[in-house]
Amino acid sequence: FISKALVMTAAAEEGHWIAWGVLLMASAGVMEHSGIKIPYFAFFAHDSGKRPKEAPFNMLLAMGITAFLCILIGVYPDPLYAILPYPVEYHPYTPGHVITQMQLLMFSVLAFIVLIKTGLYPPELPSRNLDFDWVYRRALPCMISWLSRRIGAADAALRAEAMMVVRDATNSINRGHGIDGPMARTVTVGGAVGWVVALFLVYMVLYLFG
């Protein structure tokens, strides 16, 4: 919480008391929720009956490294000061700061105990915390399913239209060139000669007057 203390102290030194008060109340709320409520409901509330297995080693290692860095920066904040873009001379463990944090902690604990004992604390609700994984667990599969249905319907409609066009073309060709079509009928020799003569006359006319 060294960085939080830096921000709040800077706001107070610059005279931004409204911002400082908002940050102070937010700090008390976070302390009550993260530091008191979650441990209480995790270890002292009713037994949910769930027996989850231990997290894998890589997750335990990541949490361990993060916790170690948090404690290290809290105890020895000089590495944090070194990466800031300006020189910092801030001592977080002054009596005033320690007393202020202890007051926040004690009053948060007191308010939590009073609300729990009087039954005024909001009851816990079984729910899920939505995170980014909701996108690929729920939203993306639903979107893919919706697109698949729409694409399948469009594909079926296009196939039906194409088959109808092919069927109409086949029927037209069959009517003209099928077994009973006029183009498939047997032509007599005389009729064939007549067609040849007629085409020859047309050719001669076009040749002479063209």
Side-chain angles (χ1 to χ4, degrees), residues 7-185:
V7 174
M8 293 182 63
T9 302
E13 288 182 354
E14 294 295 328
H16 303 296
W17 295 109
I18 295 178
W20 178 85
V22 171
L23 291 172
L24 185 65
M25 289 185 290
S27 177
V30 171
M31 186 175 295
E32 185 276 333
H33 184 78
S34 300
I36 302 173
K37 176 183 176 181
I38 292 179
Y40 175 82
F41 283 112
F43 298 103
F44 302 104
H46 64 274
D47 189 356
S48 64
K50 298 179 180 179
R51 298 295 182 268
K53 62 181 182 180
E54 184 60 88
F57 174 75
N58 57 339
M59 295 181 67
L60 295 175
L61 180 63
M63 290 187 290
I65 293 174
T66 304
F68 172 76
L69 291 176
C70 289
I71 296 174
L72 177 64
I73 293 174
V75 175
Y76 183 67
D78 289 343
L80 173 67
Y81 299 161
I83 64 175
L84 294 178
Y86 47 84
V88 176
E89 289 292 336
Y90 179 72
H91 302 285
Y93 295 106
T94 59
H97 181 255
V98 173
I99 292 173
T100 300
Q101 295 300 316
M102 290 298 296
Q103 287 175 337
L104 284 177
L105 177 61
M106 293 298 104
F107 279 103
S108 297
V109 172
L110 177 62
F112 182 81
I113 293 175
V114 171
L115 293 176
I116 286 291
K117 293 299 183 180
T118 56
L120 297 177
Y121 200 88
E124 54 181 319
L125 298 176
S127 60
R128 293 181 178 178
N129 291 328
L130 295 182
D131 207 338
F132 182 77
D133 62 326
W134 179 86
V135 175
Y136 57 81
R137 283 193 305 104
R138 295 291 184 181
L140 194 57
C142 291
M143 186 180 300
I144 293 175
S145 177
W146 182 82
L147 288 175
S148 299
R149 291 195 300 268
R150 294 298 182 273
I151 293 174
D155 178 69
L158 288 175
R159 287 175 181 269
E161 290 292 333
M163 292 301 297
M164 187 179 298
V165 171
V166 171
R167 191 180 303 112
D168 292 341
T170 304
N171 292 334
S172 299
I173 294 172
N174 189 49
R175 284 193 298 269
H177 298 271
I179 297 176
D180 298 326
M183 302 301 293
R185 294 173 186 172

